[in-house]
Amino acid sequence: MRAMTYRGPYKIRVEEKDLPAIEHPNDAVVRVTLAAICGSDLHLYHGLMPDTRVGHTFGHEFIGIVEKVGPSVQNLQVGDRVMVPFNIYCGSCWFCARGLYSNCHNVNANATAVGGIYGYSHTTGGYDGGQAEYVRVPFADVGPTKIPDWMSDEDAVLLTDATATGYFGAQLGDIAEGDTVVVLGAGPVGLVAAQSSWLMGAGRVIVVDHLDYRLEKARSFAHAETLNFTEYDDIVVELKKQTDFLGADVAIECVGAEADGNLLQHVAGAKLKMQGGSPVALNWAIDGVRKGATISVMGAYGPIPNAVKFGDALNKGLTLRMNQAPVKRQWPRLFEHVRNGYLTPSDMVTHRFPLEEIAEAYHVFSGKLDGCIKPLIVPGAA
Amino acid sequence: MTSSDIPSAYIGEKRTPAPSREELRARIPGWGVDLDPADRPSNPKLLPGPDTGAHWDFPERQPGSAGRERSIEHAFVTPVFGTAQPLKGVSGAIRRLAYDRFSEGRLAHWMLLVVGDRVDAVEGHLASIAGLRPDVPATGLRAELTHGGLGSRRGRVDARHHVLDPFVVGGPWLVAAGAAVLGARRVVRALRR
């Protein structure tokens, strides 16, 4: 089969690989019909995640058709059209039994600090991902769900991570009616977090980024006010001014390891890999909220220590909440919101690339070229 | 500054209340449909989930776990595990040391894995040359021409560090090429003697 393969930082290509096999009785093999590149894939692409092996196939946002099932699979049949959450999880361990699907203890032998994720290095379990023609799906009775007939492929693929994560970010913000919510980052997760904040009763939503085309999207897609941080000498001071010197009630950090805005932090974190990413947006969140506020962290960081301003977080009495989204726990509600038009994931799609052009897709998304917000990958479209 | 000018942070109530429910509902599709914090899908944090579909207490064990690397914070290799890209070569030895010797709580664990990644890349590049499909320093560069590389970056703050990318990406290749030339020169000189 054809599959995206990692060749080292900034280098990927499409190669011929063996078809995935049923390796466990509850495995399925899914023929991928649509995949996406996530902003967090760029951390792998840039070599930021430890134990990213040459030959690895990325991709944790994908949908497809069930091609094979293992002997113990009861809930899926060959031919089913399925969406697969980015979490690989067993559904039965201590953590899964309490709804922490993203923290499953039975699927990632390489680390206890993170659960299993498709195509996201060996630090998250060593599973090849869905930017390929076929993918192995462990625990087929637990993770995948048949796509409702009314749902489009593009909405479905964006519900496997970006939409669920953005909505989860707003949830972890513990938004109360009338709150002022600041969303850092106007990528797909930030855009959905901004949309979702309104559903939870926000009185004001402000999105911060430096890319004008994404801020325009935040205004039209998420009805948000926007701040381009490059237009201000100090974005933290501007956030205070915007909120009558209180600071925001809630901040949702949707940027993660490759944040811009501080050259030293960016170079140390994202270029020289001296820390687990550049925590500029997280530090702005800590300093830009009011005392006693809640910060929800959805941006992805690596396991190496970061220069985060915990002293300010302590002294301000902040609540910091974070996790990888337990995607399937969100789905019933998200399906309602998509059907009602309250969340509109596919409106974020800007680019569609055949699998054979995935190197160009990564370069466009990484460089934020051509107004790119969300690129999709279409296997077999070349 | 008169008392009415004093910002909200210095008095007991916000001076500018949020817009009314009616106004927000008229402007924002779905405003407030998830207003009740107790009726949000992941609340509370440790909520027993609905039926997950699991029909086991402990999953059947996937065959082939013998010798597979694992975090020493785990009691055993997990019952299901990834089998992509098993450890091999010098990078594999470095990674195995990281897993066998250091817990995830130790910086040495992660730094060894980062070193393993860089060695793996070198091994991969050498193998790619031997396989007659050599790696290039960076891929996807054609998009600079087809998707407005220069125009897209004009005036952007991140353009400051985009100029570093050629050095970050190409630097190791230049160093390797230089070392290869120097090495070859030494070999030639030694042979001439």
Side-chain angles (χ1 to χ4, degrees), chain A residues 6-15 17 23-26 45 47 49-57 72 74-75 90-92 94 96-101 105-113 122-123 125-128 136 138-139 141-142 167-168 171 174-175 177-180 198-203 210-211 223 229-230 244-246 249 260-261 263 266-267 271 273 303-305 321 326 328-330 333 337 341-342 351 353 357 359-360 363-364 367-371, chain B residues 5-10 14-16 18-19 21 24 27-35 37 39-63 68-71 73-74 76-88 95 99 104 107 109-111 113-114 117-118 120-121 124-125 127-128 133-144 146-150 152-153 156-158 160-162 164-165 168-169 173:
Chain A
Y6 174 72
R7 299 295 310 167
Y10 297 81
K11 290 176 280 297
I12 61 169
R13 67 188 188 196
V14 177
E15 287 182 357
K17 289 179 103 168
E23 300 187 51
H24 179 274
N26 209 247
Y45 175 62
M49 178 62 91
D51 210 356
T52 302
R53 299 184 187 173
V54 169
H56 198 51
T57 296
S72 81
Q74 300 175 0
N75 299 335
C90 71
S92 60
W94 195 96
C96 288
R98 288 158 182 78
L100 297 175
Y101 303 154
H105 216 59
N106 273 334
V107 292
N108 181 4
N110 297 70
T112 58
H122 279 63
T123 293
Y127 299 89
D128 272 337
R136 172 196 174 198
F139 292 116
D141 281 334
V142 178
Y167 182 84
F168 185 62
Q171 271 192 92
D174 278 336
I175 295 166
E177 184 170 355
D179 274 353
T180 295
W198 294 119
L199 307 186
M200 294 173 204
H210 68 94
L211 296 167
H223 312 280
F229 68 73
T230 64
D244 217 14
F245 289 89
L246 269 171
D249 300 297
D260 282 298
L263 189 62
H266 184 89
V267 170
K271 293 287 189 286
K273 288 87 172 171
I304 295 170
R321 303 191 67 196
K328 202 168 175 180
R329 200 163 153 182
Q330 324 285 309
R333 185 68 56 89
H337 290 340
Y342 302 153
H351 292 71
F353 291 90
E357 293 177 18
E360 283 72 30
H363 190 82
V364 167
K368 299 170 181 70
L369 308 183
D370 196 29
Chain B
D5 295 328
I6 294 174
S8 299
Y10 303 91
K14 284 187 182 177
R15 286 199 183 279
T16 312
R21 287 182 171 191
L24 286 163
R27 188 160 62 88
I28 313 288
W31 182 88
V33 295
D34 290 328
L35 200 54
D39 185 31
R40 293 174 187 167
S42 292
N43 193 319
K45 182 177 178 183
L46 296 177
L47 178 75
D51 177 15
T52 62
H55 40 87
W56 48 79
D57 291 327
F58 179 76
E60 191 173 329
R61 285 184 183 274
Q62 178 179 329
R68 192 201 187 278
E69 77 281 6
R70 67 170 170 87
S71 165
E73 293 180 46
H74 264 305
F76 42 68
V77 173
T78 49
V80 166
F81 51 89
T83 55
Q85 299 87 42
L87 296 176
K88 63 177 170 57
R95 286 165 169 151
Y99 283 107
E104 297 161 59
L107 187 58
H109 175 85
W110 301 110
M111 297 316 292
L113 289 177
V114 169
D117 288 353
R118 301 301 167 253
D120 189 16
H125 300 332
S128 75
R133 192 183 174 189
D135 287 325
V136 292
T139 55
L141 297 180
R142 191 179 53 149
E144 288 289 327
T146 58
H147 288 76
L150 274 180
S152 297
R153 291 190 175 88
R156 278 169 34 184
V157 66
D158 55 342
R160 288 185 304 172
H161 61 71
H162 281 188
L164 296 175
D165 285 344
V168 172
V169 175
W173 291 74

Side-chain angles (χ1 to χ4, degrees), chain A residues 66-107:
Chain A
V66 177
E67 185 81 5
K68 283 188 217 171
V69 292
S72 81
V73 174
Q74 300 175 0
N75 299 335
L76 289 185
Q77 292 182 326
V78 171
D80 284 343
R81 174 177 170 249
V82 291
M83 52 205 290
V84 182
F86 78 84
N87 326 110
I88 301 171
Y89 65 107
C90 71
S92 60
C93 68
W94 195 96
F95 304 95
C96 288
R98 288 158 182 78
L100 297 175
Y101 303 154
S102 53
N103 307 103
C104 177
H105 216 59
N106 273 334
V107 292

Side-chain angles (χ1 to χ4, degrees), chain A residues 5 40-41 101 105 154 157 165 228 233 282 288 327 340:
Chain A
T5 52
S40 62
D41 286 329
Y101 303 154
H105 216 59
E154 293 193 355
V157 77
T165 297
N228 183 330
D233 180 48
L282 181 53
V327 170
N340 289 326

